[in-house]
Amino acid sequence: MRPVAHPPTPGWKTEALETLRLAGPLALANVLQMLTYAIDVMFIARLGPDELAASALAVALFGLVLWSLQSLTGAVAPIMAAEIGARGPALRPVRRAVRMALWLSVIVSIAGMGICLMIGPLMQLTGQEPHIAALASSYMNVLVWSAPLMIVAGVQRNFVAALGRPVFATVITALGIGVNALGNYAFIFGNLGAPEMGLPGAAVATFITSVAIAAMYAAAIRLDPRLHRYHIMGFFWRPDWKRLGEIVRIGTPIAITVLAEAGVFGAAAFLMGRLGGLELAAHTVALNLAAFAFQVPFGVGQAATIRVGYFYGARDADGMGRAGWTGIMMGTGFMALTAATMIAIPEALLALYIDPGDPANARLTVIATGFLAIAAAFQLSDGVQAVAAGALRGLKDTRVPMWIAIFSYWVPGFGLAAGLGLGTPLGGKGVWIGLATGLTFAAVLLLWRWHRREKLDLTLRSRQAAPR
């Protein structure tokens, strides 16, 4: 077999443009996805506080399960990128990888649905009010049917992004917002000839939206010549156990990492709840702002996984380093801007959720502003850890980063949050200092591992792994 000729390593400017071209649409799609959830809250809030509380509890469980399972199947992204980088267009290897990721989506979604349907006993175990638990169960019983489609859509999104069509993710997510809003309007309140279903109607809207999004991805893949030539549904019944095992091996640590990070923030909410309702409300508002900001470095991290993966497949060590460092600088630079914004105009940001000028919100505003000041301090750490983790995934390095995440978030992170929050006068600020500490530990350790990637032999790719 003749050696494959690869293009020269791009310069820093070219790499920055390529990363931006990929990261921009993905980051925007992430932000739009959060807006989709915000629309659900807006409609459900009109039903009353009980329905809003019930939906929040259900979405907390559903979101945690969904995010972790999407992260598991999302391991197909670095695999595809490496195959394309090694011998583009790599039609057969990419098709097999996507096929097995879709198989895995169906398999794990069944398990995920089973976990979500245990919400009733979970509500009892955590001491929720019976009528709230009943509402949450009725909502979840419909919502779970969206899980398989959402996980499949995640694989479709990774496919179009790896093939250089990330803008499809942005457009499809934006269209999904419209479908979701229309579905909520129709099925919650009985408009447009639809039955009035109340809270379960919001779940129906989510299901319809998930169907629409998966269908739009399928249509885009079918109609775009570059994507269609992969025929990802071709020979769909044929197993490739080796490829399936590779996705599970790489993806399982990513899913556990997601559970570790999401779990510590969920535990922080329980700590805030012990400090008082006002602290919990301020925590929720401030954390939501930080979550919106995080969507950009998260998108940059997704782009870094693909860009590093291309060069990993091509065995181009300089390209891997340039792609990873470019993403890290972009993510950190953006978070520096968000940190400055949180310090400079905190009340303007809080005005997106509450009226800081209302005397009734005076105490809430003071507490939330204090939390934002700490959030500004850990913006840089959050950006670094998100992109560094993405870059390491491009090298298919997920196991050690998983242990870094578990240690960072739960030992110095949650340990300090609980100690300072419950054992000192710092209260809620102590909880946020703990969260900031955990993110900083993760950022430093992941950045250290990325810096030492060559000495740790992370950039080596065996020739046996190259596609035939």
Side-chain angles (χ1 to χ4, degrees):
M1 180 185 299
R2 289 180 298 177
V4 180
H6 295 290
T9 303
W12 286 100
K13 181 178 179 180
T14 301
E15 181 58 43
L17 291 174
E18 288 297 318
T19 300
L20 185 61
R21 184 181 66 83
L22 187 57
L26 292 176
L28 182 55
N30 292 339
V31 172
L32 291 173
Q33 186 61 59
M34 287 203 69
L35 289 177
T36 302
Y37 298 141
I39 285 175
D40 284 337
V41 172
M42 293 175 189
F43 277 98
I44 294 172
R46 296 178 62 187
L47 292 172
D50 288 349
E51 286 81 359
L52 185 58
S55 67
L57 291 170
V59 169
L61 175 60
F62 181 79
L64 182 60
V65 171
L66 180 68
W67 191 18
S68 60
L69 295 182
Q70 283 182 330
S71 299
L72 170 61
T73 58
V76 72
I79 294 173
M80 286 189 294
E83 297 291 6
I84 294 169
R87 193 185 179 94
L91 299 179
R92 183 179 295 178
V94 169
R95 179 169 58 248
R96 289 178 175 177
V98 175
R99 181 197 310 159
M100 289 299 98
L102 292 172
W103 275 38
L104 186 60
S105 297
V106 176
I107 295 170
V108 299
S109 66
I110 295 173
M113 291 172 70
I115 294 172
C116 290
L117 289 174
M118 295 174 63
I119 190 170
L122 181 62
M123 294 295 99
Q124 293 179 355
L125 184 64
T126 56
Q128 305 300 321
E129 297 180 23
H131 70 285
I132 298 292
L135 284 170
S137 295
S138 68
Y139 180 63
M140 183 68 87
N141 288 340
V142 181
L143 186 64
V144 290
W145 295 101
S146 304
L149 292 161
M150 289 181 173
I151 298 172
V152 165
V155 174
Q156 293 170 315
R157 169 178 161 147
N158 278 301
F159 173 66
V160 301
L163 268 294
R165 297 289 191 267
V167 70
F168 287 167
T170 306
V171 174
I172 290 172
T173 306
L175 292 173
I177 292 176
V179 174
N180 188 53
L182 190 63
N184 275 300
Y185 175 74
F187 288 97
I188 291 179
F189 305 109
N191 295 311
L192 305 177
E196 183 178 351
M197 301 178 66
L199 183 57
V204 171
T206 300
F207 175 75
I208 293 173
T209 303
S210 65
V211 172
I213 288 176
M216 284 189 281
Y217 271 118
I221 293 169
R222 174 63 182 83
L223 296 175
D224 184 274
R226 182 176 183 179
L227 302 178
H228 178 59
R229 65 175 176 166
Y230 282 84
H231 297 285
I232 60 174
M233 300 304 292
F235 303 105
F236 191 75
W237 60 89
R238 289 187 181 178
D240 187 334
W241 303 118
K242 182 178 180 181
R243 186 67 78 188
L244 180 64
E246 184 181 16
I247 296 173
V248 172
R249 178 178 58 81
I250 297 173
T252 299
I254 301 176
I256 295 174
T257 299
V258 167
L259 288 173
E261 183 173 3
V264 78
F265 279 96
F270 279 95
L271 291 178
M272 286 293 184
R274 292 188 60 180
L275 294 173
L278 204 59
E279 286 78 3
L280 179 56
H283 169 81
T284 302
V285 171
L287 189 60
N288 205 270
L289 286 168
F292 261 107
F294 176 73
Q295 300 311 307
V296 173
F298 182 48
V300 176
Q302 292 171 318
T305 296
I306 294 171
R307 292 296 302 169
V308 172
Y310 289 152
F311 296 112
Y312 178 73
R315 301 185 181 88
D316 183 346
D318 290 340
M320 296 177 219
R322 194 158 295 177
W325 286 119
T326 298
I328 290 170
M329 287 186 290
M330 280 188 177
T332 307
F334 177 82
M335 293 302 258
L337 292 177
T338 64
T341 304
M342 289 178 178
I343 293 173
I345 52 170
E347 291 193 1
L349 296 175
L350 294 175
L352 296 172
Y353 298 89
I354 60 175
D355 180 6
D358 187 344
N361 293 329
R363 181 59 182 160
L364 176 61
T365 300
V366 170
I367 297 174
T369 300
F371 292 165
L372 280 181
I374 302 172
F378 72 63
Q379 289 294 288
L380 296 180
S381 297
D382 211 6
V384 169
Q385 67 89 20
V387 184
L392 288 168
R393 287 169 192 167
L395 304 177
K396 301 183 181 181
D397 179 42
T398 59
R399 190 173 299 275
V400 172
M402 173 192 72
W403 290 113
I404 288 175
I406 293 173
F407 166 76
S408 299
Y409 299 141
W410 284 97
V411 179
F414 184 74
L416 201 58
L420 294 178
L422 302 181
T424 73
L426 287 171
K429 287 185 178 180
V431 174
W432 275 69
I433 290 172
L435 295 176
T437 302
L439 288 170
T440 301
F441 265 80
V444 170
L445 292 174
L446 289 170
L447 194 62
W448 173 84
R449 186 165 179 82
W450 170 255
H451 177 67
R452 292 182 57 83
R453 62 193 178 280
E454 293 191 29
K455 293 182 179 180
L456 296 172
D457 293 335
L458 301 181
T459 59
L460 299 180
R461 180 173 185 264
S462 67
R463 296 191 178 276
Q464 288 77 11
R468 293 187 296 273

